[in-house]
Amino acid sequence: GEVAIFETLRREVAARSPQIQDTARSIAALDTLAALAETATIHNYTKPHVHQGDEIQIVEGRHPVVDRRSDDTFVPNDTLLNATTCQLVILTGPNMGGKSTYLRQVALVSLLAQAGSFVPARQAKLALVDRIFTRVGASDNIARGQSTFMIEMQETANILHSATSRSLVILDEIGRGTATFDGLSIAWAVAEYLATAP
């Protein structure tokens, strides 16, 4: 009956599972590449120049999500980072001024390029990075005795211990979970360490 037919089908599928899995992987890769190509075409992305050097230069970069979802016109931004003259950017401005969007935009453009995608920019020259570290947002785990500040410091310490000279580090409002002077001192020390560490 039906159980016998199902068992036969199951055996045949199991016997051909390597071919089925290979086909599924190929279709998934094709689907991913087609989606990246379609997005690049529709949203005017450009082919990045990915290189082994240390320079990240983005001309008229856009945040790939905010650019598409915002009711307002997205204002493109430039970015220049390198290991000699501009290895650290300290970004200041009013609340809701776009600072976090800009920081995330740099990380996303870099990530897209390394994934093999075109990027939302007029022009982009992007260094290969070994990892992208981010410390953004506020969270806590009070039940385990971990405040927002404690989690922020643990995440920051992990970044400082793990980042290399080839890492892209994005830190959004470090030291905000404590007194103003203490927070400023922490942010200053972290920035100094990142700018001078080998």
Side-chain angles (χ1 to χ4, degrees):
E2 290 180 7
V3 173
I5 293 170
F6 177 72
E7 290 297 331
T8 302
L9 177 62
R10 209 166 71 162
R11 280 193 301 273
E12 288 181 10
V13 168
R16 291 179 169 74
S17 66
Q19 297 98 318
I20 293 170
Q21 289 174 341
D22 285 345
T23 301
R25 275 191 285 274
S26 297
I27 291 170
L30 183 61
D31 182 48
T32 301
L33 295 172
L36 291 175
E38 181 181 23
T39 299
T41 301
I42 292 171
H43 300 289
N44 197 28
Y45 287 14
T46 189
K47 181 180 178 182
H49 171 66
V50 181
H51 62 98
Q52 294 284 352
D54 60 31
E55 185 177 51
I56 294 177
Q57 182 177 23
I58 302 169
V59 178
E60 293 183 19
R62 305 181 313 274
H63 189 293
V65 177
V66 177
D67 183 37
R68 290 164 55 182
R69 301 282 184 210
S70 177
D71 293 335
D72 299 325
T73 302
F74 189 90
V75 177
N77 301 282
D78 295 349
T79 304
L80 176 61
L81 290 165
N82 59 50
T84 52
T85 60
C86 190
Q87 62 191 106
L88 176 71
V89 171
I90 297 175
L91 186 60
T92 64
N95 289 339
M96 298 300 292
K99 300 179 300 295
S100 295
T101 300
Y102 176 82
L103 293 174
R104 289 169 172 84
Q105 167 187 312
V106 173
L108 287 169
V109 168
S110 181
L111 180 65
L112 283 168
Q114 290 202 192
S117 174
F118 280 29
V119 298
R122 185 165 60 81
Q123 186 178 355
K125 181 179 180 183
L126 299 160
L128 285 171
V129 296
D130 58 3
R131 283 178 283 185
I132 299 173
F133 290 99
T134 62
R135 176 34 256 162
V136 297
S139 62
D140 60 39
N141 191 343
I142 299 302
R144 291 194 176 165
Q146 296 178 314
S147 67
T148 301
F149 178 69
M150 176 65 81
I151 289 176
E152 181 182 302
M153 291 301 98
Q154 288 172 340
E155 291 176 357
T156 302
N158 179 55
I159 291 170
L160 297 179
H161 288 305
S162 304
T164 72
S165 61
R166 301 289 314 175
S167 300
L168 177 60
V169 178
I170 305 293
L171 302 173
D172 195 352
E173 295 188 359
I174 287 299
R176 71 182 158 193
T178 187
T180 303
F181 185 76
D182 295 341
L184 179 59
S185 297
I186 290 166
W188 189 319
V190 168
E192 239 178 53
Y193 179 83
L194 288 171
T196 59

